[in-house]
Amino acid sequence: MALTLQISSGKQVMLRPIGPEDVDRLRAAKDLLSPESIHTRFFQSGQLNVDALEKVAQADQHLHIAWGALDPKVPDFPGLGVARMIRQSSASTSAEVAVTVIDEWQGKGLGKLFFMLLYVLAGMEGIQELEMILLVDNQRFISKLESIGARVTMSHGEYEVILPVLPPDAYDTFPNADLVASLKHLHQELIRFKQKKAANS
């Protein structure tokens, strides 16, 4: 099962939870990341650790939530990106988030969709704050996060970001009408997705 959604560039993508069957796809997709992308996302140089990719494929979709994106026109192509959210326990009200998009699909709106996905999923899971670390060259994205209530501090040359998560009935308080509409639509799509998944299980 997957959600088919349109990103800001007009392209369509399929979003779905990542599972153990995706480990080979993740391994192939990592080779589509340039050294610059690896450094920007993971703050490291060189190749990604295969063990880390296998942990993504073992996400339990509760404490460790991981969704991937596929191109519906080329479904056998390696994944276009991964959105992850990790919390320490079921009682945790905060979670660390991270988004990775392969080079070819950067700047097309997939990263934005991933962050909205994590934001809505967090609210559905009872998570109240999202935490992330960003490099200093992400100033434009930082400004957008601050516009929706994020608290941002600088530490050791990196931005530490804490973003409060609002419930769906409070989305209207955001100043950007397009963002509000997108979040509401995504919330409804995720409700339907979970209902269908439960009915098929």
Side-chain angles (χ1 to χ4, degrees):
M1 289 180 58
L3 295 176
T4 300
L5 299 168
Q6 184 171 297
I7 54 180
S8 56
S9 65
K11 292 179 176 290
Q12 286 192 326
V13 295
M14 293 168 52
L15 300 181
R16 64 169 176 79
I18 292 173
E21 69 278 6
D22 294 311
V23 65
D24 289 338
R25 187 187 294 273
L26 290 169
R27 289 171 177 166
K30 77 180 178 64
D31 295 330
L32 302 177
L33 290 170
S34 67
E36 292 77 12
S37 292
I38 292 175
H39 175 68
T40 299
R41 165 60 191 88
F42 299 95
F43 308 159
Q44 68 182 48
S45 58
Q47 294 296 312
L48 298 180
N49 190 309
V50 173
D51 291 340
L53 298 177
E54 293 181 349
K55 288 182 180 179
V56 175
Q58 297 298 325
D60 62 7
Q61 304 304 335
H62 178 56
L63 298 182
H64 181 185
I65 294 173
W67 280 56
L70 302 174
D71 184 347
K73 294 183 178 179
V74 194
D76 292 332
F77 187 78
L80 309 178
V82 173
R84 300 174 63 198
M85 179 164 55
I86 301 174
R87 55 179 167 170
Q88 297 303 312
S89 71
S90 296
S92 299
T93 58
S94 63
E96 296 182 7
V97 299
V99 166
T100 306
V101 177
I102 65 171
D103 286 47
E104 183 181 346
W105 279 72
Q106 291 176 13
K108 300 181 185 297
L110 179 55
K112 177 182 177 181
L113 178 59
F114 267 153
F115 272 107
M116 288 193 295
L117 171 72
L118 292 175
Y119 188 92
V120 175
L121 285 171
M124 297 174 75
E125 289 284 334
I127 295 169
Q128 299 174 11
E129 289 185 335
L130 298 180
E131 303 174 356
M132 64 196 86
I133 296 177
L134 300 171
L135 293 178
V136 294
D137 57 1
N138 279 301
Q139 186 57 55
R140 183 179 178 185
F141 183 48
I142 289 291
S143 298
K144 291 182 178 180
L145 291 175
E146 288 178 321
S147 73
I148 57 173
R151 305 189 298 275
V152 181
T153 58
M154 175 72 79
S155 177
H156 306 294
E158 301 167 352
Y159 285 118
E160 296 180 356
V161 181
I162 297 177
L163 177 64
V165 177
L166 298 182
D169 59 5
Y171 288 165
D172 285 320
T173 62
F174 287 134
N176 187 310
D178 289 338
L179 175 62
V180 171
S182 295
L183 289 173
K184 287 183 175 181
H185 175 69
L186 190 50
H187 180 245
Q188 291 301 316
E189 289 292 319
L190 284 169
I191 290 175
R192 284 192 284 268
F193 177 86
K194 289 179 177 290
Q195 290 173 339
K196 290 180 180 179
K197 187 175 181 180
N200 292 334
S201 63

